[in-house]
Amino acid sequence: MMEVLWLLILTVILKDCWSQGVYAPPQAQIIHSGQACVVKEDNISERVYTIREGNVLVLECLVKGHPRPQVRWTKTAGSASEKFQETSIYNETLRIEKVQRMQGGRYYCKAENGVGVPAIKSIRVDVQYLDEPILTVHQTISDVRGSFYQEKTVFLRCTVNSNPPARFIWKRGTEILSHNQDNGVDIYEPLYTQGETKVLKLKNLRPQDYANYTCQVSVRNVCGIPDKSITFRLTNRTAPPALKMSVNETLVVNPGDNVTIQCSLTGGDPLPQVVWSHSPNPMPQNSISKGGNLTIWRIRPEDSGYYNCTAINNVGNPAKKTVNLLVRSMKNITFQITPDLIKESESIQLEQDLKLSCHVDAVPQEKVVYSWFKNGKSIKPSDRLLISKNDPELPPVTSSLEIIDLKFTDYGTYLCAASFPGPPTPELSIEVNISAETVPPTLSVPKGQSIITVREGSRAELQCEVRGKPRPPILWTRVDREGPLPSGEIVAETFDGKLKLDNVTRDMTGTYKCQTARYNGFNIRPREALVQLNVQFAPVVEPKFQDIRQAMERSVTLRCTMLKGSPVKVATAVWRLNRNLLSSPVTEQQEYSELKINSLTREASGTYECTISNDVGSDVCIFQVTGKAYSPEFYYDTPTPIKTYRQYNNYSFLLQWTQKEPGAVDPVISYKLEVRQQKLRSVISKNIPIRDTQKGFLHQFLITNLRIPLSYEVQLTPFTIYGAGDPATRKLQYTEPIIYPNPSDNTCRFEDEKICGFLQDVMDNFDWTRQNAKTQHPKRTANTGPTRDSSDTEEGYYMFIEASRPRVNGDKARLISPMYNVTSRSPFHKTSYCVSFYYHMYGKHIGLLNLLVRVKSSVETQVWTLSGNQGNKWKHVTVPIYPSGPFQIIFEGVRGSGMEGDIAIDDVTVKKGDCPRKQINPTKAVAPPGSAASTVLAISLYWPLSFILFMLLR
């Protein structure tokens, strides 16, 4: 009975307080819960989260606001880049297993709920790593004082990639070397190098300089990354590598041969390592390299290329020898007929000049030998028959036979043969017939073949006919698109003039050009023709799915639109309701189909399907049309569970929610609440009638008799005259309120890292910092903040706010205490408590220190405030409070106008009872505009009535 009364009165009281104002824009805060090495405040930007490469990155975006904001994660490479470089992740938790160095950068959490502007927070992730160092040695020898002696200088260069920048330590044996420790040692950092580099210079080598040298690199054990090192032994024999190749720079072999190349070391100490490589392709699978010997078995033409033998011992520059290995091959022999160019003729005519050309693709190209024959007999050059090998108008190494003043006797069959000199290799030949019937080509598209229409997925054949003698190949290209043909080639060659396309798609629609080739025919202006390909495909419609909510007895029009399709007009449109065919008007040739529901009823509700078809296929629009109410929107910023003191094993929970888009359908008349203990099937059901359904109204219901410490799942379903709407589900987890500490031990001195259960507010601008005189930053801002705790010891800890950059004027840091329980037994007697603490407010830029009380995890009231410079000493204050229920205290530090504004607190005590009458430095609380305290009068009826209800329930 009391619980129902509480609910009714709270509903009346809170109606004016919440109403539309319960909708709140999103707030966000990023926290980390992964394997962070350290989280520090950068001097320029905000929080920096440092993690070791290979560890697990976990970032959480804590959000507040109503309705519950949706979260989207994005990342940029750094603060200078505006382009997102990774796929966005829609989840409050971002997790990356085995984070890599390229995944460092600034991560953004964007929270939005449709109210106000989205909240965007960011954090910089710094991935730290240390690679193995690389040590190289270089030597120089110079003449000194004429030719009396030579001076040898050695440079040991050590390079490493790391984050943060590595520290270098050079050692000779076990001795650490320093810059200019003697005249023979220099250590410096060269310019224009990749990675981090330190050079150890040994000038005019002395006997003691021949030793073991170690380069040790360190990132000072950050993230637990150990130091790494590399050692080199310098002797009087140390020398760069030298090589000798057993073959010439160019080696020509026949296909099928077994080829062996020897690459011998002629110098180098320490002993160099020899490796073979091939460019532009990887090493052939039919090859084997061992030491400096390379063997290729049964070599193929595709094995041609440059083979590199490289020797490395980290002294000087690597030694490299290269051989260009050419495997003899010939392919693609072609011919051309060129009529008299001087007379601009395109046909063969007697008494004019004529040129026949022959070309073969060969390796090596310059070694090809061409031979010409007429009617089977070798042609001997004369004044009328000229044979040349390099015509400037033709590709290199092309042989031409030029016939001057063509005679009838010159008609016949000419043969061009290409071969290699030396060992027998297969030759290639091609014939050219010259006669009165040798005429240039003509090109045309067969009748009815200029436009080809096929269905998607079928086979298409484009055709161009060529006439003439000889008939050259036909080359196909796309005209309307800059891109390849469906085969992936830019140009396709066909000998019969037919371009065959299998499994055509809509992307193949367009104009195709056919033209005659300049080879294997007349070398004249190409003949061209066009063919149009039309690919018909099934329609693509929208919406694919649409959820339509409508009040009963109202009309609604459904439209299914064809976005794409060929043909582009709707041939037929069939409407169905719940799979049952509906009668619909005859569809005209248009791009959409509509169905109007004059009055929505339960019978007219359901799933509507519109199947739109053209001559090829069909697609479906689906409409879910109902009068169902949208789901409730839970208010997540509700008080924590309330413990029932008469039943110590039970607790209660005040469930709060608003209704999503209540005006879209008929008014909600009640809610069905179902409560189920997790991992159990039994459900407790409750009907909750309501009256007010306006948007933004905060509904609430007190759920009682929940067992401690069990968790529950609640499901809330709205009901209208239509029936049940969409349910919403959330989980309730019990959190034990922290009991007020014993009077003998009720002071928090912040000596433990858990800081007595105090928590940083995730919704503030920055955090309070725990430190003592030994842990404070050595370069801390002067003229502000304490140097020791309130007991004046170096070991004692205290909490303070750092006012240096990136903090700005008005930034807040909030420290929230555990929940304290109120044990008042009379509704007419308020239990008093006394909050006692020390504060330190020294500096010319001191801002504000506020003390607030939060009752039942909801409304906050400011009870004390102080601003400005209070001198370089700790001061004590006691503040009386009169909470009407379980409460928390909040210390709020507000940054002032500059960096000399550090504020500190220590020795916080909360005692039951009145404060001592004599207070040190009493202050009067003043509520600044917009603070929580300035809203107390607006809800002045809330606390007295709540207090009475609370006592009645006890």
Side-chain angles (χ1 to χ4, degrees):
M1 185 68 181
M2 286 293 108
E3 292 169 351
V4 175
L5 178 62
W6 188 355
L7 175 62
L8 293 175
I9 296 179
L10 282 178
T11 303
V12 173
I13 294 173
L14 293 178
K15 180 176 180 179
D16 293 330
C17 301
W18 294 103
S19 188
Q20 299 287 344
V22 73
Y23 287 108
Q27 299 179 50
Q29 182 71 30
I30 296 177
I31 66 171
H32 61 86
S33 57
Q35 297 171 279
C37 303
V38 65
V39 178
K40 58 185 179 180
E41 299 291 332
D42 194 281
N43 290 330
I44 300 175
S45 60
E46 51 181 356
R47 190 175 299 167
V48 180
Y49 173 27
T50 304
I51 187 171
R52 182 173 178 174
E53 186 175 44
N55 284 353
V56 181
L57 172 66
V58 181
L59 300 176
E60 290 187 45
C61 187
L62 302 182
V63 295
K64 294 180 72 174
H66 186 70
R68 186 76 165 177
Q70 299 294 315
V71 173
R72 177 190 183 198
W73 283 97
T74 50
K75 172 188 171 289
T76 60
S79 57
S81 174
E82 296 180 354
K83 293 184 177 179
F84 292 129
Q85 295 190 341
E86 291 191 356
T87 303
S88 301
I89 298 178
Y90 297 88
N91 200 330
E92 293 184 12
T93 301
L94 174 69
R95 182 182 181 91
I96 300 177
E97 302 284 347
K98 297 182 180 179
V99 67
Q100 300 300 307
R101 62 192 66 179
M102 69 285 300
Q103 291 174 308
R106 187 165 294 278
Y107 285 81
Y108 293 85
C109 159
K110 180 179 181 181
E112 53 187 338
N113 63 352
V115 180
V117 297
I120 301 177
K121 292 292 182 180
S122 69
I123 186 171
R124 201 178 85 218
V125 175
D126 191 11
V127 182
Q128 300 196 332
Y129 56 90
L130 177 64
D131 290 343
E132 295 289 340
I134 299 174
L135 196 154
T136 56
V137 180
H138 298 269
Q139 302 182 86
T140 61
I141 299 177
S142 58
D143 292 331
V144 178
R145 298 176 186 176
S147 58
F148 290 99
Y149 67 90
Q150 291 181 327
E151 180 183 271
K152 178 184 286 188
T153 300
V154 172
F155 300 87
L156 289 92
R157 178 189 298 262
C158 186
T159 301
V160 71
N161 292 315
S162 71
N163 180 36
R167 179 182 61 185
F168 290 79
I169 299 175
W170 282 101
K171 295 180 181 179
R172 179 194 286 126
T174 58
E175 173 194 9
I176 296 179
L177 300 177
S178 60
H179 181 63
N180 287 335
Q181 73 176 34
D182 57 44
N183 293 332
V185 175
D186 273 345
I187 299 175
Y188 63 92
E189 182 176 331
L191 299 176
Y192 312 114
T193 57
Q194 292 184 348
E196 302 167 57
T197 302
K198 286 286 186 184
V199 174
L200 173 64
K201 180 180 180 182
L202 305 175
K203 300 176 290 186
N204 190 15
L205 282 186
R206 303 159 298 183
Q208 64 265 33
D209 292 330
Y210 294 109
N212 289 334
Y213 290 88
T214 299
C215 171
Q216 181 177 328
V217 292
S218 170
V219 289
R220 302 157 203 73
N221 203 37
V222 65
C223 283
I225 300 176
D227 294 356
K228 297 183 179 180
S229 63
I230 186 170
T231 301
F232 182 86
R233 179 168 182 79
L234 181 66
T235 70
N236 57 5
R237 300 182 305 277
T238 300
L243 290 174
K244 182 178 69 174
M245 190 78 77
S246 63
V247 297
N248 296 328
E249 293 182 357
T250 301
L251 178 62
V252 181
V253 298
N254 293 319
D257 289 351
N258 295 330
V259 179
T260 298
I261 306 173
Q262 292 181 339
C263 183
S264 305
L265 283 171
T266 59
D269 187 282
L271 185 66
Q273 179 184 6
V274 179
V275 294
W276 281 92
S277 62
H278 181 215
S279 61
N281 301 318
M283 293 289 290
Q285 293 184 353
N286 52 323
S287 66
I288 182 171
S289 58
K290 185 176 181 181
N293 294 335
L294 170 66
T295 301
I296 305 176
W297 305 95
R298 296 178 296 279
I299 198 165
R300 304 162 300 176
E302 55 266 30
D303 296 331
S304 295
Y306 290 92
Y307 288 81
N308 308 304
C309 173
T310 306
I312 301 174
N313 68 348
N314 290 340
V315 180
N317 295 320
K320 184 177 180 180
K321 293 290 184 180
T322 301
V323 56
N324 184 13
L325 186 56
L326 302 176
V327 182
R328 290 188 179 93
S329 64
M330 284 193 298
K331 60 182 179 179
N332 300 333
I333 187 167
T334 59
F335 71 87
Q336 289 179 322
I337 303 173
T338 306
D340 198 330
L341 292 177
I342 297 176
K343 298 183 179 180
E344 298 181 352
S345 176
E346 287 196 349
S347 59
I348 298 175
Q349 298 180 23
L350 296 176
E351 299 180 355
Q352 289 188 5
D353 296 345
L354 178 68
K355 182 166 63 177
L356 306 179
S357 302
C358 177
H359 178 81
V360 68
D361 296 332
V363 175
Q365 188 75 54
E366 65 277 3
K367 299 295 184 180
V368 175
V369 176
Y370 292 96
S371 302
W372 285 93
F373 300 87
K374 177 185 177 184
N375 297 330
K377 295 182 180 180
S378 178
I379 296 177
K380 296 181 180 180
S382 63
D383 294 340
R384 292 185 55 252
L385 299 177
L386 307 178
I387 298 178
S388 61
K389 190 172 183 181
N390 288 303
D391 191 322
E393 298 179 0
L394 298 172
V397 194
T398 297
S399 179
S400 296
L401 171 63
E402 190 169 359
I403 304 174
I404 307 299
D405 190 16
L406 183 67
K407 306 295 184 182
F408 179 81
T409 56
D410 293 325
Y411 287 161
T413 299
Y414 292 82
L415 183 140
C416 171
S419 62
F420 284 120
T425 54
E427 68 174 19
L428 293 180
S429 63
I430 193 169
E431 289 186 347
V432 185
N433 186 266
I434 302 298
S435 67
E437 298 177 355
T438 304
V439 293
T442 59
L443 188 67
S444 63
V445 178
K447 185 177 181 180
Q449 297 293 312
S450 58
I451 299 178
I452 303 296
T453 302
V454 296
R455 292 191 175 188
E456 191 171 37
S458 62
R459 189 170 183 270
E461 185 176 277
L462 312 185
Q463 184 174 355
C464 286
E465 289 185 349
V466 61
R467 294 182 176 86
K469 188 177 180 181
R471 291 194 301 174
I474 300 298
L475 306 180
W476 289 90
T477 55
R478 297 197 70 165
V479 176
D480 54 344
R481 295 192 181 185
E482 294 183 0
L485 293 164
S487 62
E489 301 173 335
I490 298 297
V491 179
E493 176 184 298
T494 63
F495 293 96
D496 58 359
K498 296 178 181 179
L499 179 63
K500 299 175 182 179
L501 306 174
D502 295 323
N503 193 23
V504 295
T505 64
R506 63 195 68 181
D507 296 333
M508 298 182 188
T509 298
T511 304
Y512 293 75
K513 180 175 71 174
C514 60
Q515 66 180 38
T516 57
R518 290 178 179 263
Y519 52 86
N520 290 351
F522 278 75
N523 181 24
I524 57 176
R525 179 178 55 85
R527 281 33 174 168
E528 299 178 353
L530 300 178
V531 178
Q532 176 69 31
L533 174 63
N534 295 328
V535 180
Q536 295 183 335
F537 57 93
V540 178
V541 299
E542 75 168 7
K544 291 291 186 182
F545 178 83
Q546 185 175 3
D547 185 9
I548 299 177
R549 309 291 177 106
Q550 189 76 20
M552 304 296 284
E553 299 182 356
R554 292 186 185 176
S555 64
V556 59
T557 300
L558 312 180
R559 172 181 282 200
C560 184
T561 303
M562 190 164 84
L563 294 178
K564 296 185 288 187
S566 177
V568 296
K569 300 293 184 180
V570 177
T572 60
V574 177
W575 287 87
R576 289 180 172 84
L577 170 58
N578 299 328
R579 304 283 180 91
N580 297 319
L581 186 64
L582 297 176
S583 58
S584 58
V586 178
T587 303
E588 298 179 359
Q589 290 293 312
Q590 54 190 13
E591 291 81 17
Y592 63 88
S593 178
E594 285 186 347
L595 177 68
K596 184 175 182 180
I597 305 172
N598 295 320
S599 177
L600 181 63
T601 62
R602 286 186 178 86
E603 293 74 19
S605 301
T607 303
Y608 285 81
E609 297 181 10
C610 175
T611 304
I612 283 186
S613 306
N614 60 9
D615 295 338
V616 180
S618 61
D619 199 5
V620 180
C621 294
I622 298 178
F623 304 88
Q624 189 68 37
V625 182
T626 67
K628 293 172 60 175
Y630 286 100
S631 60
E633 300 167 317
F634 285 117
Y635 190 70
Y636 280 84
D637 302 331
T638 51
T640 55
I642 302 170
K643 197 169 184 179
T644 306
Y645 289 96
R646 290 183 180 176
Q647 300 175 357
Y648 293 100
N649 294 328
N650 290 359
Y651 70 97
S652 303
F653 191 90
L654 184 62
L655 190 68
Q656 297 176 301
W657 71 92
T658 58
Q659 179 59 42
K660 179 180 179 181
E661 302 297 338
V665 296
D666 295 297
V668 177
I669 55 179
S670 67
Y671 287 91
K672 180 181 179 181
L673 175 65
E674 296 175 290
V675 182
R676 179 180 64 86
Q677 181 185 329
Q678 287 189 350
K679 299 182 180 179
L680 296 181
R681 294 185 178 181
S682 58
V683 175
I684 301 174
S685 181
K686 177 74 175 178
N687 186 59
I688 307 173
I690 65 165
R691 293 182 181 178
D692 198 330
T693 60
Q694 63 177 320
K695 184 174 183 178
F697 184 84
L698 186 67
H699 305 280
Q700 45 199 359
F701 183 82
L702 185 67
I703 306 175
T704 59
N705 297 324
L706 304 176
R707 300 286 293 176
I708 295 175
L710 302 178
S711 298
Y712 294 83
E713 182 178 88
V714 297
Q715 180 171 290
L716 193 63
T717 306
F719 280 80
T720 64
I721 59 173
Y722 176 85
D726 290 343
T729 304
R730 71 170 294 183
K731 294 179 180 179
L732 306 183
Q733 293 181 328
Y734 178 76
T735 54
E736 179 71 25
I738 296 177
I739 303 300
Y740 179 75
N742 294 324
S744 61
D745 185 21
N746 58 359
T747 299
C748 180
R749 296 179 175 84
F750 304 110
E751 299 304 316
D752 188 82
E753 291 183 357
K754 297 181 179 179
I755 57 175
C756 315
F758 278 77
L759 297 174
Q760 308 280 1
D761 190 343
V762 298
M763 294 305 174
D764 56 10
N765 304 111
F766 65 112
D767 290 341
W768 287 81
T769 302
R770 173 180 171 269
Q771 72 173 25
N772 61 12
K774 294 183 177 181
T775 61
Q776 64 187 1
H777 198 285
K779 296 182 180 180
R780 58 186 295 272
T781 306
N783 302 318
T784 186
T787 57
R788 300 187 178 191
D789 73 338
S790 61
S791 59
D792 197 31
T793 62
E794 290 187 351
E795 295 80 10
Y797 284 86
Y798 56 89
M799 303 295 292
F800 86 106
I801 62 168
E802 172 59 66
S804 301
R805 289 191 308 170
R807 306 279 70 85
V808 297
N809 189 11
D811 277 3
K812 294 180 180 180
R814 289 161 54 94
L815 194 65
I816 305 174
S817 78
M819 179 71 73
Y820 298 105
N821 283 333
V822 172
T823 58
S824 174
R825 297 189 177 276
S826 171
F828 304 103
H829 175 72
K830 290 184 179 180
T831 302
S832 62
Y833 287 82
C834 182
V835 181
S836 166
F837 61 94
Y838 283 85
Y839 63 87
H840 191 285
M841 300 173 67
Y842 168 59
K844 63 181 180 180
H845 302 135
I846 291 293
L848 282 169
L849 176 60
N850 299 323
L851 177 66
L852 301 97
V853 176
R854 175 191 290 174
V855 180
K856 295 183 180 179
S857 302
S858 56
V859 179
E860 297 174 2
T861 304
Q862 182 175 293
V863 295
W864 181 89
T865 186
L866 189 63
S867 63
N869 187 357
Q870 304 297 319
N872 189 12
K873 59 183 177 180
W874 286 94
K875 294 186 178 182
H876 181 258
V877 66
T878 57
V879 181
I881 61 173
Y882 306 94
S884 59
F887 69 95
Q888 296 167 285
I889 61 172
I890 302 172
F891 287 97
E892 182 180 75
V894 184
R895 199 259 197 188
S897 59
M899 63 191 302
E900 296 181 21
D902 296 355
I903 298 174
I905 59 172
D906 198 5
D907 290 3
V908 178
T909 305
V910 180
K911 285 186 177 181
K912 184 178 179 181
D914 296 331
C915 291
R917 292 185 178 181
K918 184 179 180 180
Q919 296 189 22
I920 302 175
N921 296 328
T923 58
K924 183 178 180 181
V926 178
S931 71
S934 64
T935 65
V936 172
L937 292 177
I939 54 172
S940 58
L941 291 176
Y942 178 85
W943 293 117
L945 289 175
S946 299
F947 183 76
I948 293 171
L949 285 172
F950 180 81
M951 300 310 300
L952 289 174
L953 285 173
R954 293 184 47 79

